[in-house]
Amino acid sequence: MESFRVPLPGADPAFVWRHGLLGSSPDGEAAVLRIGTDDGATGVALATRPGMASAVEDIVDRVLRDQLVGKDPLQREYLWHRMWEIDRTEELPLPVLGLVDIALWDLAGRMTSQPVWQLLGGFRTRIPAYASTVTFSSIEEFLDVASQSLDLGYQAVKLHAWGDARADAELATRLREHVGDSIPLMYDGSAGFDLPDAIYLGKALTAAGFLWYEEPMREFSVTAYARLARAVDIPLLVAETSDGAHMNSADFIAAGAATFGVRTSASMRGGITGSMRTAHVAEAFRVRAEVLGDEIPSQHLSMAIPNTTYYESLITSNVVQKKPEIDSEGFVHAPTGPGIALPAGLDYPAVLRPYVDGTT
Ligand SMILES: [Mg+2]
């Protein structure tokens, strides 16, 4: 088991999510975790969020190598539970908690020459993508970005906006008028509101016919979300960043807060294993598990989870760039390489490729 630090170029151009949040990261470092077997097979996982390079290096050197090396890498269930035991005293950052699991799924895929979505039991081979905006400076610029995205084939648009309930409500209304009734629209609050403002905005999004209302508040209070769900008609998509994987998602659902569904992702839900558990819990309650888009494992998850609707594709600049993984009809297709690897055509820092391919 090894961890590497590799240079990670910052977003160009830089962007912001909403007022008050840190925006895109400047040039920094990513963590690469590589797990090898005695017969030479390897699995790789990447952590690209800020600060993860040092966090991964620390936990590998101080705890994980000693705790995990020598165990059977195909016993992912045992190792997943082992990570939660380690988490009890370490309180690991969520992206680190799932990193070993991601590398083990990659390893299993490489050993069997299958992409991970197939190992998981594939459900589909393509899924429509939505254009997920960052925050732009004016309503007019948002409308322009939406038009460019739809022209490129995207089938739906999700707003990350300013985090001002009145301004964002006005934006949502104007966007609906701009694109017409047939384009699915979604709104992501990036946890910018308290309950009164979340209710105000939720009513505006309902009037504008939005498909879902995502993470309007920090996800610490399930009760606040349950109250929001009772106060607004628009379906809520929740539990993106909260700790506790499927166990926590279950509480949001049971409280009546996940009226559209829950978020799922390898980085925030404990790797591939935790993501799939979350999706299955949601399916049991007949709600969706929508995959967080801008991560390497997300294409695999979106091909394997039945109760998911879209692939999230980030639009971080105006002019909107065509992304190689999205076809002209707005679909992303199932990766074909073994393991998680680098899905074909994914926009990914070239500097990481040799580490992922195992050629360095
Ligand atoms: Mg979100």
Side-chain angles (χ1 to χ4, degrees):
M1 175 180 290
E2 306 165 287
S3 72
F4 306 88
R5 292 174 180 225
V6 294
L8 184 67
D12 184 21
F15 61 84
V16 292
W17 294 110
R18 67 164 168 80
H19 296 322
L21 288 185
L22 297 179
S24 58
S25 300
D27 291 353
E29 289 180 313
V32 180
L33 174 68
R34 189 160 68 193
I35 296 176
T37 66
D38 292 340
D39 7 356
T42 59
V44 172
L46 307 168
T48 56
R49 291 179 184 243
M52 289 304 105
S54 53
V56 171
E57 199 169 71
D58 170 65
I59 194 69
V60 167
D61 288 345
R62 194 166 48 79
V63 178
L64 295 187
R65 193 177 289 116
D66 181 49
Q67 287 289 316
L68 304 184
V69 168
K71 304 292 190 295
D72 181 346
L74 296 180
Q75 288 195 351
R76 290 181 297 272
E77 289 290 332
Y78 169 77
L79 293 163
W80 195 85
H81 282 91
R82 194 78 204 103
M83 288 301 295
W84 282 93
E85 286 285 85
I86 292 168
D87 176 69
R88 175 59 189 86
T89 46
E90 291 285 331
E91 287 286 359
L92 298 169
L94 291 179
V96 175
L97 181 64
L99 210 58
V100 166
D101 182 76
I102 296 169
L104 294 175
W105 276 100
D106 185 46
L107 177 70
R110 294 181 194 219
M111 287 175 71
T112 57
S113 300
Q114 290 189 72
V116 164
W117 67 271
Q118 249 171 357
L119 274 188
L120 290 167
F123 183 78
R124 59 176 71 79
T125 55
R126 67 172 195 167
I127 191 166
Y130 63 85
S132 184
T133 74
V134 296
T135 296
F136 295 99
S137 61
S138 66
I139 288 179
E140 288 67 31
E141 189 175 15
F142 268 110
L143 302 186
D144 181 23
V145 166
S147 291
Q148 292 178 54
S149 301
L150 296 171
D151 287 348
L152 285 173
Y154 286 102
Q155 299 193 16
V157 177
K158 186 174 90 179
L159 295 172
H160 294 85
W162 302 295
D164 173 322
R166 272 71 190 166
D168 289 10
E170 170 70 11
L171 169 62
T173 306
R174 293 278 304 279
L175 179 61
R176 172 55 74 205
E177 290 166 4
H178 182 70
V179 302
D181 289 340
S182 63
I183 302 295
L185 298 175
M186 300 83 98
Y187 176 90
D188 187 339
S190 304
F193 306 104
D194 61 9
L195 184 57
D197 279 349
I199 291 172
Y200 175 90
L201 180 53
K203 289 182 174 174
L205 297 173
T206 306
F210 272 50
L211 178 64
W212 78 59
Y213 185 18
E214 179 175 330
E215 199 196 350
M217 302 178 285
R218 288 306 301 268
E219 292 169 330
F220 300 132
S221 171
V222 176
T223 304
Y225 267 99
R227 289 178 177 170
L228 177 63
R230 285 198 295 272
V232 298
D233 289 333
I234 184 167
L236 303 180
L237 183 64
V238 300
E240 173 168 312
T241 64
S242 47
D243 200 348
H246 62 295
M247 297 164 280
N248 169 265
S249 307
D251 266 356
F252 276 91
I253 296 169
T259 42
F260 192 89
V262 293
R263 290 296 256 168
T264 195
S265 64
S267 64
M268 293 289 144
R269 283 283 172 274
I272 301 287
T273 298
S275 299
M276 294 303 291
R277 276 171 159 67
T278 300
H280 294 158
V281 166
E283 188 185 39
F285 287 90
R286 313 310 299 154
V287 294
R288 309 272 171 91
E290 296 293 339
V291 177
L292 186 72
D294 61 339
E295 314 181 332
I296 301 297
S298 294
Q299 290 189 13
H300 294 273
L301 290 170
S302 63
M303 298 302 158
I305 294 174
N307 50 322
T308 199
T309 319
Y310 290 109
Y311 176 80
E312 179 175 22
S313 179
L314 289 178
I315 306 297
T316 58
S317 66
N318 181 19
V319 176
V320 180
Q321 308 289 334
K322 168 153 178 43
K323 295 199 177 187
E325 71 270 25
I326 310 294
D327 73 17
S328 59
E329 296 178 314
F331 286 89
V332 63
H333 295 259
T336 53
I340 293 174
L342 291 180
L346 188 70
D347 182 15
Y348 203 76
V351 68
L352 295 184
R353 189 170 290 277
Y355 295 90
V356 175
D357 292 345
T359 55
T360 188

